[in-house]
Amino acid sequence: WRDIDLGKNVWTVPVSKSGRSRLIILNSGVMDLLGELQQTTKRLGLPIEASDYIFINQKTKDRYYSFGAAFSKARCFAGLDDVRIHDLRHTYASVLINNGVSLYEVQTLLGHSSSNMTQRYAHLMPHKLHERTEIIAAVMNRQTIQAVKLPAA
């Protein structure tokens, strides 16, 4: 629990894949889930101090060493047998980009040190590209209308 800042909605990963620490910004849904998890943990009489793990096995009273079995079970329940854990990260980035979040913001959220890595996740939905071309049409249309309305000098 010491790595979660409930006041700032931030998870500090002490050592990431790159060997450095990194911050993960947590959304309100995750924060709600962590609050529920805290209450359930207390109700079950399991430890919840800063030095305790968030996910504790009820039977062994020890931390889980892998989430593979839980992920596999959730995947099967959802009927998504072919989804890999990395696919979720890919979807996260693509959904953000397709909803107008900048590449820099997605890069920061994913913890990438370069935008080149983030661009691998940036699959724009075709309709988004069409929407973007309409921005130019709208701007040019406004300029044409304004030019027509200007009085001759």
Side-chain angles (χ1 to χ4, degrees), residues 37-134:
L37 187 58
Q38 256 186 347
Q39 294 306 314
T40 300
T41 302
K42 285 178 187 177
R43 195 177 72 249
L44 292 172
L46 296 171
I48 194 140
E49 300 301 319
S51 61
D52 292 316
Y53 290 98
I54 295 174
F55 300 102
I56 301 172
N57 186 313
Q58 289 180 1
K59 294 176 185 172
T60 66
K61 308 286 192 254
D62 194 12
R63 70 183 175 109
Y64 287 98
Y65 290 90
S66 170
F67 61 87
F71 180 70
S72 181
K73 187 176 179 180
R75 205 176 51 180
C76 289
F77 180 77
L80 302 170
D81 296 329
D82 58 340
V83 173
R84 301 164 298 154
I85 193 72
H86 197 76
D87 294 333
L88 301 179
R89 184 174 169 86
H90 195 97
T91 300
Y92 175 84
S94 296
V95 167
L96 288 174
I97 289 168
N98 280 295
N99 281 281
V101 177
S102 74
L103 197 59
Y104 175 74
E105 290 169 307
V106 174
Q107 174 186 340
T108 302
L109 289 169
L110 292 176
H112 291 157
S113 56
S114 81
S115 60
N116 289 343
M117 186 64 161
T118 308
Q119 286 176 335
R120 293 173 42 186
Y121 294 89
H123 301 296
L124 289 172
M125 294 180 186
H127 74 277
K128 284 293 180 186
L129 296 175
H130 290 287
E131 287 175 14
R132 299 309 185 232
T133 63
E134 294 304 322

